[in-house]
Amino acid sequence: MPSTAVTPPLPSAPPRVRPDWHYHFLGIGGIGMSALAELLHERGIRVSGSDTQPGPTLERLAQHGIPVTVGHSAAALEGADAVVFTTAVREGHPIWAEVRRRGLPRLHRAELLSALAAERRTLAVTGTHGKTTSTAALAHALAAAGWAPTALVGGHVPQWDGRNYRLGAGPWLVCEADESDGSFVHLAPEAVLLTNVEEDHLDFHGSLDNLRAAFRAFLARIRPGGCLVSCAEDAAASALAAAAAAQGCRTLSYGFAASADVRVIVEGLAREGTRLQLSHGGERWRLASPLVGRHNARNLAGVCALAQAVGAPTAGVLAGLADFRGVARRQQFVGRAGGLAVYDDYAHHPTEIRATLECFLATHDAPVSVIFQPHLYSRTARFAAEFAEALRPAARIYVTEVYGAREAPIAGVSGRLIVERLNGHPAAQFLPDWHALADRVRAGEVPDGILLTLGAGDITALGPHLLRVLA
């Protein structure tokens, strides 16, 4: 059953990072966990980790000198002074008995993040969509403005040598505040960028009302004198901003709406990027960004608004945004397989799929084919019809079996649900195993043009697989 908890219990005081401790990460292969582990490691703190599956992240961590093991074994805990974990490691896992036997302190990932945040002036990005791109863009822009921030990002940034963190000498920390399990309430940021609030992660929150309550609890922790920057077009974000303002929090809005404090206008959209105009308080700036799409233009406006709110130098921020080339798995070009240009995107919610597909349809004349891997059984069951409508504009659609991640299967829930709701589409199919797409491409079933792989699971491996087998 979904949890109805709105927030986890808060500690009486945030923990502090102990430079003399050895931290062991349970689930170190997760994107947020690996960033924390590498950041501590770069600071000279002893770190190790374990995860249930091997993969590129564990390989990279090992190459950087962090001991990693596959499987959460007692031996992996040897020498550890504390254990860092995520909610993905369930209470029933046998490793917890060993942790208790050894008397090791437990830190949720968010508690360790709050300890790092307590050392610096923290700017947090939260919301259902756009967190990762906005966080990375904000950190990149502040670095260009000379602020040298430390940053933790939920995606790999090619311009940071492919890392998902950066260690800066300045007093600022830029991070994502993840709403998925309510743990973001451990943070007490100086300012927050709230992108939007949509129905998601109800496997934890139980209802949209509980999700909104979790956001309210987090925003209430903005430090006195701080600022909330919110999207003017998102009704839920605007309502949360109004509530925060009523409690004395300074607020700033951004978006396409004429009423937005920081307004963005898209002047040109092409596959090479987006030309946009930003305005605030009578000032106007033009920006040519390598990022494509109206949703990215709005993300950049949010970043600009937060930078304005904290007093960052505008010229440096704009230069950084013009230079920022995005995050891995966001409209990322993978390569060419025969007559197909293969792109990969992390989109796993109907709103994200709609925005991503609109970008490709608006900037490419060739047919756009999509293979989508649903993520989580609960999300698939709830949004099957919405997924179908978001995918419908594609020329050819394949839907795979659900990538369950942390969830057990739900009877009757399958990728077939989405295909069934695509009735009337001339080329929509259920393809349980994405490996089989290589044979379809080889047989000429997929038209030359664009092939877009979508989802938060292992579908990201399809593009490189196609390039290998079709070479």
Side-chain angles (χ1 to χ4, degrees), residues 315-364:
V317 167
L318 293 173
L321 293 180
D323 177 66
F324 178 63
R325 296 193 291 277
V327 180
R329 297 219 61 207
R330 274 69 178 175
Q331 303 171 38
Q332 181 179 6
F333 177 65
V334 179
R336 291 193 172 273
L340 288 173
V342 183
Y343 291 81
D344 183 45
D345 198 279
Y346 189 68
H348 56 282
H349 184 281
T351 299
E352 296 164 353
I353 291 173
R354 190 177 300 109
T356 301
L357 193 50
E358 281 176 359
C359 279
F360 281 90
L361 293 171
T363 57
H364 292 80

Side-chain angles (χ1 to χ4, degrees), residues 47-58:
V47 168
S48 62
S50 55
D51 214 314
T52 55
Q53 299 292 331
T57 299
L58 264 62

Side-chain angles (χ1 to χ4, degrees), residues 24-30 33 50-52 71-73 83-97 99 106-109 181 406:
H24 182 79
F25 286 72
L26 294 175
I28 197 168
M33 292 284 273
S50 55
D51 214 314
T52 55
H72 301 310
S73 66
V83 168
V84 183
F85 70 100
T86 72
T87 47
V89 184
R90 302 297 188 186
E91 279 298 324
H93 196 288
I95 193 63
W96 290 123
V99 170
R106 294 169 40 155
L107 287 172
H108 189 279
R109 172 192 56 80
D181 61 1
R406 59 186 178 269

Side-chain angles (χ1 to χ4, degrees), residues 91-419:
E91 279 298 324
H93 196 288
I95 193 63
W96 290 123
E98 183 64 22
V99 170
R100 287 190 293 271
R101 189 187 73 78
R102 294 173 182 246
L104 296 176
R106 294 169 40 155
L107 287 172
H108 189 279
R109 172 192 56 80
E111 292 179 283
L112 179 57
L113 177 58
S114 75
L116 292 168
E119 301 173 348
R120 296 172 185 261
R121 301 177 67 180
T122 299
L123 306 176
V125 180
T126 193
T128 309
H129 317 296
K131 284 191 297 290
T132 299
T133 296
S134 298
T135 305
L138 178 60
H140 196 80
L142 293 182
W147 280 24
T150 293
L152 294 150
V153 180
H156 298 288
V157 184
Q159 288 169 279
W160 301 354
D161 296 326
R163 296 175 300 176
N164 52 349
Y165 76 97
R166 70 184 307 277
L167 181 59
W172 296 91
L173 172 70
V174 177
C175 67
E176 291 187 40
D178 179 21
E179 80 282 8
S180 64
D181 61 1
S183 62
F184 56 175
V185 296
H186 286 279
L187 290 169
E190 187 163 322
V192 170
L193 170 57
L194 174 60
T195 59
N196 39 60
V197 179
E198 283 197 52
E199 193 173 312
D200 201 9
H201 303 300
L202 300 192
D203 55 317
F204 175 82
H205 293 283
S207 71
L208 182 56
D209 285 343
N210 284 347
L211 175 62
R212 288 171 175 164
F215 274 105
R216 282 195 299 273
F218 168 59
L219 298 176
R221 291 180 57 77
I222 295 174
R223 293 184 180 276
C227 184
L228 169 59
V229 174
S230 63
C231 180
E233 283 91 48
D234 188 84
S238 296
L240 287 165
Q247 298 298 314
C249 182
R250 184 163 56 99
T251 61
L252 196 68
S253 65
Y254 70 93
F256 296 111
S259 61
D261 296 312
V262 176
R263 189 183 182 196
V264 59
I265 297 172
V266 172
E267 297 183 328
L269 183 64
R271 66 184 67 178
E272 295 80 18
T274 307
R275 289 184 293 105
L276 52 103
Q277 180 188 120
L278 295 162
S279 60
H280 179 223
E283 293 190 78
R284 295 180 184 275
W285 311 283
R286 280 188 163 80
L287 175 65
S289 168
L291 305 188
V292 181
R294 286 176 57 83
H295 65 297
N296 277 321
R298 184 158 46 200
N299 288 337
L300 295 178
V303 169
C304 183
L306 186 57
Q308 292 277 303
V310 297
T314 301
V317 167
L318 293 173
L321 293 180
D323 177 66
F324 178 63
R325 296 193 291 277
V327 180
R329 297 219 61 207
R330 274 69 178 175
Q331 303 171 38
Q332 181 179 6
F333 177 65
V334 179
R336 291 193 172 273
L340 288 173
V342 183
Y343 291 81
D344 183 45
D345 198 279
Y346 189 68
H348 56 282
H349 184 281
T351 299
E352 296 164 353
I353 291 173
R354 190 177 300 109
T356 301
L357 193 50
E358 281 176 359
C359 279
F360 281 90
L361 293 171
T363 57
H364 292 80
D365 296 328
V368 178
S369 300
V370 169
I371 178 164
F372 171 54
Q373 182 184 55
H375 184 262
L376 299 182
Y377 294 96
S378 59
R379 187 182 283 131
T380 304
R382 193 169 198 95
F383 292 126
E386 290 85 349
F387 278 129
E389 290 312 302
L391 291 164
R392 190 174 291 278
R396 180 168 287 274
I397 302 166
Y398 297 95
V399 181
T400 75
E401 193 48 274
V402 177
Y403 186 85
R406 59 186 178 269
E407 288 187 339
I410 298 174
V413 177
S414 159
R416 290 185 187 275
L417 292 178
I418 299 170
V419 175

